[in-house]
Amino acid sequence: MTVCNSTKRSVSNDQGSVQFPCPKCGKQTIVRSSEARKAGLKYTCPCGEFTGPN
Ligand SMILES: [Zn+2]
């Protein structure tokens, strides 16, 4: 199951969600739901070295 990095909710039915590799570590995949994007919720890569949105 793919869950939003901010809300921890599944994004399997979320057409507005995005997934991208962490720009810092390149190993983790960061997932953001459309809800988190609209609200501008903060997210942190599991590696702990990348925080967004920026
Ligand atoms: Zn990372």
Side-chain angles (χ1 to χ4, degrees):
M1 188 173 81
T2 305
V3 297
C4 172
N5 186 271
S6 299
T7 65
K8 310 300 182 195
R9 289 187 194 164
S10 171
V11 296
S12 51
N13 293 316
D14 189 342
Q15 301 294 325
S17 67
V18 291
Q19 298 181 37
F20 55 95
C22 172
K24 282 279 183 183
C25 66
K27 292 175 185 171
Q28 305 288 346
T29 299
I30 294 169
V31 181
R32 300 195 74 207
S33 63
S34 57
E35 185 185 8
R37 291 171 67 207
K38 279 182 206 159
L41 294 180
K42 187 177 168 183
Y43 57 95
T44 304
C45 174
C47 76
E49 298 191 13
F50 182 75
T51 301
N54 280 315

